[in-house]
Amino acid sequence: MAKPRKQKTSNIDEKKVELAKTIASQSEKITRSYMNFGNFFVKAFRWFSNWFDRLLFNRRFSKEIALLLAVLLYVSVNSSSSISSVTSSMSNSKEFQDIPLSVEVNDSVYEVSGLPETVDVILTGEMADISLATADKQKIVADLSGLTEGTHTVELQALGLSGSTRATIVPNQVTVTITKKISMEFTIGYQFVNTNKMDNIYALGTPEFEKDTVIVRASQQTIDQISIVNALIDVSNITGDFTVDAPLVAYDQNGNRMDVDIVPESIKATVSVTTPSKEVPIVVIPNGEIPNDKAIASISLTHSSVTINGPQDVLDTINQIEIQLPVYDLTNETNVVTMPINLPSGVRGKDPSVVSITVVLGDKTQKVVNDIEITYRNRGDWKATISEDESATVSVTIIGTQEMIDSFDVSGIEAYIDFSELPEDSSGLVELPLHIEGNNNMLTFESDRQSVRLNVSK
């Protein structure tokens, strides 16, 4: 087995030798071809150089050569110019919108109209300059310093640009009207601001100013449009009297702020702050039915009234504070109940916040009172007559203790129909609830009728 392995190895070595000889032969051919090409190129270059020298320095063709060089130079220069133009057109640009417009004018003497508040700017230039440009660095100016009264067309200018940066302003020019200012005296009004940040239990008095009038400077046309000059008084988080330096603002008849000169620009205002209060009685309203055939003989309170505070217009609508007293679980002859005093929205109480109510019970009895006339509430422009088959009076049963009934004046009973319960499109015969009220909360009042039929029309 060893002899065949030797023969195979010998064959592989012979193939490697033959491959190496082939590679060497090819390398020699490539080297000779490269040297032949190099020699040819050198000979051709020398021939062309000698020919060009003979042509260039030949007196016979010197003029033609000069003309050819001139044409080549012209084409080269114009090509460079075209390339420069193309490069310029491809310069970087950046657009800025709503850049504030500055005005150079003697604004103590003249008023200017027709100027836009902002303009748009397009910057063009080299990338390094454009990339550093920001909106706050742009300053666009309308220079009116050399102009007098009248209408003028003014070119807008961009300031602070680098040498390679150009600005396109939109609009690039504006038409303005310059008018001379006059002075006029105005009486100061006032306006409280941030009232939503003030506790509504406080009431603000009329401000007192260090002076009553101010001077306004503007054109005659603008002066004529002024409706009022107000001091804006900030009342955020106030709890008592205060003095503030209030800015002054002029308004037109539509309530829009006006751009005018006001001398002085602000004024000291002193405002008194009060907490309106009112003492109102506490009224107990029994709620439910007393068990064991009992009725209320008397009700007494540890506090018969409460002091409330709040906005004056709200206090004016409040004449009493009611406490709904549940009586369905009163079983003793004398009962003491502690109840909180619930106040209407927007109103606060100083004292007390709770009240103790003593309720004394007695035996229940009743009394019937006849011929109580039916009246109307919220009638407005309704015409109404009680149906012919119904009576215009009603019988009312008074329920309570005997002592309480005997002391009650029956003129305090009211039987009424409330027209606010009547639909607007009603006409003809309708039926409305009958309400019974008495001016004694310790008594109960019941009617022999629950409703009344009426003929109604507008």
Side-chain angles (χ1 to χ4, degrees):
M1 295 297 294
K3 287 181 180 180
R5 195 173 293 146
K6 275 186 180 183
Q7 185 178 358
K8 188 176 181 179
T9 302
S10 175
N11 291 335
I12 293 173
D13 292 339
E14 289 176 0
K15 289 181 180 180
K16 288 183 179 180
V17 172
E18 290 177 0
L19 179 61
K21 290 179 179 180
T22 301
I23 293 173
S25 175
Q26 292 294 332
S27 297
E28 289 178 3
K29 290 180 181 180
I30 293 172
T31 302
R32 286 196 300 270
S33 298
Y34 177 77
M35 292 180 64
N36 291 336
F37 177 77
N39 292 332
F40 172 79
F41 180 77
V42 171
K43 291 178 180 179
F45 179 77
R46 287 176 179 173
W47 177 85
F48 178 77
S49 178
N50 292 331
W51 175 84
F52 186 75
D53 288 341
R54 288 196 301 269
L55 180 63
L56 183 60
F57 297 104
N58 192 325
R59 294 182 181 179
R60 181 181 175 183
F61 298 107
S62 60
K63 293 181 180 180
E64 290 80 354
I65 295 300
L67 177 61
L68 179 60
L69 292 175
V71 171
L72 292 174
L73 181 61
Y74 173 80
V75 171
S76 175
V77 170
N78 281 275
S79 296
S80 299
S81 178
S82 299
I83 293 172
S84 176
S85 176
V86 171
T87 304
S88 176
S89 66
M90 295 176 63
S91 296
N92 289 276
S93 63
K94 184 184 288 188
E95 181 177 359
F96 300 96
Q97 295 182 338
D98 300 328
I99 300 299
L101 179 62
S102 301
V103 184
E104 292 185 0
V105 68
N106 187 354
D107 55 7
S108 63
V109 177
Y110 295 111
E111 178 182 287
V112 180
S113 60
L115 283 173
E117 293 184 2
T118 62
V119 296
D120 297 338
V121 179
I122 302 174
L123 296 184
T124 305
E126 294 182 2
M127 182 183 293
D129 295 330
I130 297 301
S131 62
L132 295 175
T134 57
D136 59 341
K137 293 180 180 179
Q138 309 311 311
K139 184 174 183 181
I140 309 301
V141 176
D143 188 359
L144 313 180
S145 56
L147 304 179
T148 57
E149 283 189 278
T151 301
H152 309 272
T153 300
V154 181
E155 293 282 344
L156 301 184
Q157 305 171 10
L159 303 183
L161 300 177
S162 64
S164 64
T165 307
R166 296 178 301 281
T168 301
I169 306 170
V170 182
N172 65 336
Q173 62 180 20
V174 293
T175 300
V176 298
T177 301
I178 301 177
T179 310
K180 203 165 189 177
K181 290 183 178 181
I182 63 172
S183 298
M184 183 169 288
E185 192 174 59
F186 282 82
T187 302
I188 302 173
Y190 66 91
Q191 178 180 347
F192 294 123
V193 297
N194 293 324
T195 54
N196 60 325
K197 298 180 181 179
M198 178 187 74
D199 196 317
N200 62 5
I201 69 168
Y202 298 111
L204 301 168
T206 302
E208 294 183 2
F209 300 110
E210 57 184 342
K211 57 187 298 187
D212 297 328
T213 60
V214 291
I215 300 298
V216 177
R217 290 182 54 80
S219 67
Q220 183 66 61
Q221 181 180 4
T222 301
I223 290 286
D224 293 340
Q225 296 175 7
I226 296 177
S227 174
I228 192 171
V229 177
N230 274 345
L232 303 184
I233 303 173
D234 189 352
V235 295
S236 301
N237 304 317
I238 62 96
T239 57
D241 298 351
F242 67 97
T243 299
V244 65
D245 198 23
L248 295 166
V249 177
Y251 295 92
D252 63 15
Q253 295 180 351
N254 296 322
N256 300 315
R257 286 195 183 195
M258 303 188 67
D259 185 14
V260 295
D261 297 334
I262 303 177
V263 183
E265 295 181 348
S266 61
I267 193 166
K268 287 191 180 300
T270 300
V271 183
S272 61
V273 180
T274 59
T275 307
S277 62
K278 182 179 183 180
E279 187 175 6
V280 293
I282 299 173
V283 177
V284 177
I285 308 295
N287 188 0
E289 185 174 350
I290 301 173
N292 304 323
D293 207 27
K294 295 292 183 179
I296 297 175
S298 66
I299 293 179
S300 59
L301 293 81
T302 53
H303 299 88
S304 61
S305 63
V306 60
T307 300
I308 59 176
N309 53 49
Q312 189 61 53
D313 57 341
V314 175
L315 296 181
D316 291 341
T317 64
I318 301 173
N319 296 315
Q320 64 184 30
I321 298 296
E322 296 181 354
I323 295 178
Q324 299 289 331
L325 175 65
V327 297
Y328 49 80
D329 58 351
L330 300 182
T331 56
N332 299 323
E333 181 177 348
T334 301
N335 305 268
V336 179
V337 182
T338 300
M339 296 290 293
I341 299 176
N342 298 318
L343 301 177
S345 177
V347 175
R348 296 185 182 182
K350 288 185 177 178
D351 184 53
S353 59
V354 296
V355 62
S356 292
I357 304 171
T358 301
V359 182
V360 178
L361 302 181
D363 294 332
K364 182 169 66 175
T365 187
Q366 62 184 33
K367 174 184 178 180
V368 177
V369 180
N370 297 316
D371 300 325
I372 301 296
E373 185 178 358
I374 298 173
T375 59
Y376 303 135
R377 288 186 183 181
N378 303 310
R379 182 171 178 176
D381 56 356
W382 286 103
K383 295 179 181 180
T385 57
I386 295 177
S387 178
E388 293 181 358
D389 59 348
E390 299 234 9
S391 172
T393 62
V394 66
S395 295
V396 175
T397 300
I398 307 173
I399 303 171
T401 62
Q402 189 64 54
E403 183 179 1
M404 193 66 67
I405 293 174
D406 292 341
S407 63
F408 178 70
D409 185 354
V410 296
S411 64
I413 299 175
E414 183 179 8
Y416 67 90
I417 297 168
D418 190 349
F419 275 78
S420 65
E421 299 172 342
L422 184 64
E424 279 294 324
D425 57 352
S426 298
S427 180
L429 186 64
V430 298
E431 188 171 355
L432 289 176
L434 178 64
H435 302 277
I436 306 297
E437 287 185 0
N439 58 3
N440 188 326
N441 296 327
M442 290 180 285
L443 296 173
T444 304
F445 304 89
E446 296 179 354
S447 170
D448 62 344
R449 293 155 63 187
Q450 302 301 313
S451 62
V452 177
R453 287 180 296 167
L454 303 168
N455 287 299
V456 299
S457 63
K458 279 283 187 180

